[in-house]
Amino acid sequence: MLAGLSSRYVEVCNKIEVAAERAGRSGARITLLAVSKTFSAESICPLLDLGHVSFAENRVQEAVEKWPALLGAYEGIELHLVGALQSNKVRAAVELFDFIHSLDRERLARRLAEEMRIQAKSLRLFIQINIGEESQKAGVALGELDDFYNYSVSDLGLDVIGLTGIPPYGVNPAPYFALLQKRAVGLGLAHLSMGMSADYETAIAFGADYLRVGTAIFGVRDSQA
Ligand SMILES: *Cc1c(COP(=O)(O)O)cnc(C)c1O
């Protein structure tokens, strides 16, 4: 198992380097988020032992059960929430995470601002866009992005550092990544959280600097999460 995990991890790191070089970018400025959802603390430890520190989860409750012990055992871990955030989980999310990639509505933005004030913590946030305008997906509509950005940053003072979005399933993701990049540049945002196991090399070509990779590192998940 360990050999499998570490060789998959090294392969992903190498592919990031190659894709970055091809895009004329520095691989050192790209952060690989190991998406550890559904995997136990014991499965995560080998990656921490290899020195990897950036991890992502998609459910607050699962992360709360799993990560505090690991945070006590390893230095320098950075935790990212990449899944939908319900308002009643905001307190726990602000306590545990360093980054949230799913800021997508005004009510959530207000709750986050309030909770970060109470906890005297400032998380770095990505606005999630419903990039394919799919009814089943979360995210701000493209036409509402500018207003939502201004509300979050100017009215609430949130630390929005970038945009994120997941292209529709089964189509060429490149035009969607290009659109996310264009909108980030338009808002003067320096960071793009995009690209998963199937398409992170493509995402790098369009400026992604936070890649969210689960399966390609940990292997296939038992349950769909
Ligand atoms: C699970 C998940 C990922 C990683 O998906 P893989 O295809 O396993 O790399 C990325 N982003 C989000 C929001 C996820 O829930």
Side-chain angles (χ1 to χ4, degrees):
M1 274 314 282
L2 173 53
L5 178 73
S6 65
S7 67
R8 284 192 299 267
Y9 173 66
V10 168
E11 189 185 342
V12 170
C13 292
N14 288 340
K15 284 183 172 173
I16 291 170
E17 281 300 328
V18 171
E21 191 163 324
R22 209 184 299 133
R25 303 179 54 202
S26 163
R29 303 191 60 174
I30 296 174
T31 302
L32 169 62
L33 305 180
V35 182
S36 47
K37 65 187 185 194
T38 78
F39 289 96
S40 66
E42 299 87 81
S43 328
I44 298 170
C45 281
L47 206 50
L48 286 159
D49 291 333
L50 288 171
H52 192 79
V53 293
S54 300
F55 289 84
E57 293 281 342
N58 76 330
R59 289 195 178 147
V60 175
Q61 190 53 43
E62 180 185 343
V64 163
E65 288 162 15
K66 206 155 77 177
W67 280 97
L70 293 168
L71 290 170
Y74 291 86
E75 298 278 313
I77 295 175
E78 215 165 57
L79 275 187
H80 297 249
L81 178 65
V82 294
L85 177 55
Q86 292 159 348
S87 295
N88 64 356
K89 299 273 170 61
V90 166
R91 184 198 295 173
V94 170
E95 275 168 13
L96 185 64
F97 289 97
D98 303 293
F99 295 74
I100 289 174
H101 296 240
S102 48
L103 176 60
D104 65 354
R105 56 197 191 278
E106 292 193 355
R107 183 171 138 81
L108 176 61
R110 283 193 297 275
R111 274 293 292 129
L112 280 167
E114 177 186 33
E115 194 57 41
M116 289 194 276
R117 198 163 47 238
I118 292 168
Q119 296 189 30
K121 258 188 105 174
S122 180
L123 277 64
R124 283 152 284 180
L125 308 172
F126 289 84
I127 293 177
Q128 182 174 352
I129 300 176
N130 188 348
I131 194 72
E133 314 208 297
E134 298 171 277
S135 58
Q136 79 281 15
K137 275 212 184 114
V140 177
L142 280 164
E144 288 162 13
L145 175 60
D146 290 350
D147 283 349
F148 182 67
Y149 173 80
N150 286 330
Y151 178 71
S152 300
V153 174
S154 305
D155 293 12
L156 299 176
L158 293 177
D159 187 14
V160 174
I161 66 165
L163 302 180
T164 184
I166 299 177
Y169 181 74
V171 302
N172 176 11
Y176 296 94
F177 291 151
L179 186 53
L180 275 169
Q181 182 179 38
K182 184 171 154 225
R183 297 302 300 262
V185 168
L187 290 170
L189 288 168
H191 299 287
L192 280 168
S193 160
M194 58 188 196
M196 308 181 10
S197 289
D199 54 19
Y200 65 91
E201 292 161 282
T202 307
I204 288 170
F206 293 95
D209 65 344
Y210 286 87
L211 313 174
R212 305 185 305 247
V213 179
T215 313
I217 295 173
F218 289 102
V220 177
R221 289 179 288 274
D222 280 343
S223 56
Q224 271 310 322

